[in-house]
Amino acid sequence: MNKKKTLSILLILLMATLCLGAISAADSNGVKFTSDDGFKLNIPKNEDYTIYKVENINFKIPLSLINNTFIINSSNSYLTICDFSSYNYIDIWPYSNSILEYYYGDDASGNEIQDVENRMIGNHPVSILFLKDRRDYYFQTSDKNNVYMIEYRYYHNKFDQKKIKAIEKIIETSPDSSIDNKTFFKKMDTSVKEATGGGNGYKSYQNLVKTKHNTDNGNVERDASDSSTWRQVSVGDTQFRIPPKYDNATLESDTYLVIDNVYTFAIRDIDSYEFLKDSYGDDSSSKYTIYDENKTISGHPAAIIYQEVSINQMDGTGYKTYDVVEVYFQTGDSIYCISYNETKLTSDVEEMIKHTPKPNDSNDLFYGKLERARDNYIQEYDEESEDYLYDLIEENTRTTENKRGFYW
């Protein structure tokens, strides 16, 4: 048995171990679940959520998370929603204030931490830990004695934006926080300090929070003064502020700033309709695209594409996989694409876009341009594929005819 098959089997067994303790089966309408201990969950057909109690809080669980592929744990001490088809699951856990350092503190200062985002979701202060193949949402409700955590675990960066939105909806519709956001974020900071004794792990955590996000008001957008010292580079007819992490980017032409390739970091001036059609059309319809979304960033309409791309390296080292975010946005009369090696929209990129001129077109006009470019690209690609197929058939027919020594 090869290693890939072995890994797949182990993943399935892992998920089974986590979820089978309370297996539930849906009826043909997907509205009733029962578990092996007699717990019954009846989901009203006329509602878009069902209420489930964890510890002291009634949570509204969107029905979009519950279908025939999901399993709900029947214990009131925590909630587990599993999806065997994609090897991911969502947990809701209550953590008392006294044990935060063992969970939040250790993870927030550990080797796998990639980012920390402190912000408000509804009336709830939330601290999100971005770890390898996992996102943990710690938030405060009306329960003063517990901080609740929603853990969303996925594999190979195959996270689902719809699940992320569902998690945010669970937090937003839970009972309002009983403490203010400053007190909450201070509590989380203290748990990391206690877990690390104030060492390097704590300093790394503070750096992630303080340099990327404003913990005073929960707003993830940078203050303009944070980028005032960034290097400024003109790409096309627009001047960009370049964050220090991309300082080694070079201008390959007047309209193209890059590090290595477009999958590492690049700013491209999409300076013609043909370029927009070939670039956005290809990205938005690519087999590598995991999902996409439209979002307004500081007054700029943007189309964001999240991809996992496998590229054969020119140096002969074989294929390399990149997690790529591509942000198409308008500034003035120009459309640009910023692409970079990440799995999410970062505050660095938001800050870069924020300080470009506001767009001259409306949001509807901008998104209409993108939609037409994509549709025309797909149509032309289909026609070219059809022409290629006919040419290939014709070439094979001629080859066969020559071998046989006669023509049809």
Side-chain angles (χ1 to χ4, degrees), residues 57-169:
I57 297 297
N58 287 325
F59 289 101
K60 294 181 178 179
I61 310 300
L63 295 191
S64 60
L65 288 179
I66 304 171
N67 55 45
N68 290 339
T69 65
F70 286 89
I71 296 170
I72 298 182
N73 194 293
S74 61
S75 171
N76 281 346
S77 59
Y78 67 95
L79 176 67
T80 299
I81 306 172
C82 301
D83 183 353
F84 286 116
S85 64
S86 58
Y87 306 123
N88 65 49
Y89 63 85
I90 295 171
D91 279 345
I92 302 181
W93 294 88
Y95 290 139
S96 67
N97 297 326
S98 60
I99 63 172
L100 274 180
E101 67 176 280
Y102 297 109
Y103 294 96
Y104 182 88
D106 282 349
D107 285 337
S109 60
N111 294 328
E112 290 193 0
I113 189 68
Q114 297 175 350
D115 197 5
V116 179
E117 181 177 327
N118 287 343
R119 64 186 178 99
M120 300 295 291
I121 297 179
N123 293 317
H124 306 81
V126 184
S127 187
I128 309 171
L129 303 184
F130 294 82
L131 300 114
K132 181 178 171 58
D133 289 338
R134 191 173 107 214
R135 294 188 186 187
D136 292 347
Y137 296 73
Y138 287 82
F139 60 102
Q140 193 75 47
T141 67
S142 58
D143 182 358
K144 293 183 178 181
N145 298 318
N146 291 291
V147 170
Y148 287 82
M149 188 269 278
I150 299 180
E151 176 185 342
Y152 173 33
R153 186 176 290 275
Y154 43 86
Y155 295 93
H156 308 304
N157 284 315
K158 300 292 187 182
F159 60 90
D160 185 338
Q161 185 68 15
K162 291 180 180 178
K163 289 188 177 66
I164 291 173
K165 289 180 179 179
I167 289 171
E168 293 183 353
K169 193 67 176 177

Side-chain angles (χ1 to χ4, degrees), residues 2 35 63 100 134 185 227-229 291 327:
N2 61 43
S35 72
L63 295 191
L100 274 180
R134 191 173 107 214
F185 293 130
S227 61
S228 60
T229 60
Y291 70 94
V327 185

Side-chain angles (χ1 to χ4, degrees), residues 148-203:
Y148 287 82
M149 188 269 278
I150 299 180
E151 176 185 342
Y152 173 33
R153 186 176 290 275
Y154 43 86
Y155 295 93
H156 308 304
N157 284 315
K158 300 292 187 182
F159 60 90
D160 185 338
Q161 185 68 15
K162 291 180 180 178
K163 289 188 177 66
I164 291 173
K165 289 180 179 179
I167 289 171
E168 293 183 353
K169 193 67 176 177
I170 293 172
I171 297 171
E172 183 181 353
T173 57
S174 66
D176 287 350
S177 173
S178 58
I179 64 174
D180 63 272
N181 55 343
K182 287 186 179 181
T183 303
F184 174 77
F185 293 130
K186 180 64 176 177
K187 178 196 295 186
M188 307 312 285
D189 182 273
T190 301
S191 73
V192 182
K193 190 172 185 179
E194 291 175 349
T196 62
N200 290 333
Y202 175 61
K203 293 175 183 177

Side-chain angles (χ1 to χ4, degrees), residues 276-288:
L276 178 65
K277 181 183 65 178
D278 291 340
S279 181
Y280 178 78
D282 181 52
D283 288 337
S284 61
S285 60
S286 171
K287 66 179 182 180
Y288 296 120

Side-chain angles (χ1 to χ4, degrees), residues 271-319:
D271 55 2
S272 70
Y273 173 75
E274 286 299 314
F275 191 4
L276 178 65
K277 181 183 65 178
D278 291 340
S279 181
Y280 178 78
D282 181 52
D283 288 337
S284 61
S285 60
S286 171
K287 66 179 182 180
Y288 296 120
T289 295
I290 299 172
Y291 70 94
D292 57 54
E293 64 175 341
N294 293 338
K295 180 178 181 179
T296 300
I297 302 173
S298 297
H300 298 76
I304 309 165
I305 299 172
Y306 303 84
Q307 294 184 329
E308 185 179 74
V309 182
S310 249
I311 300 297
N312 195 0
Q313 302 301 291
M314 299 298 292
D315 59 7
T317 56
Y319 281 85

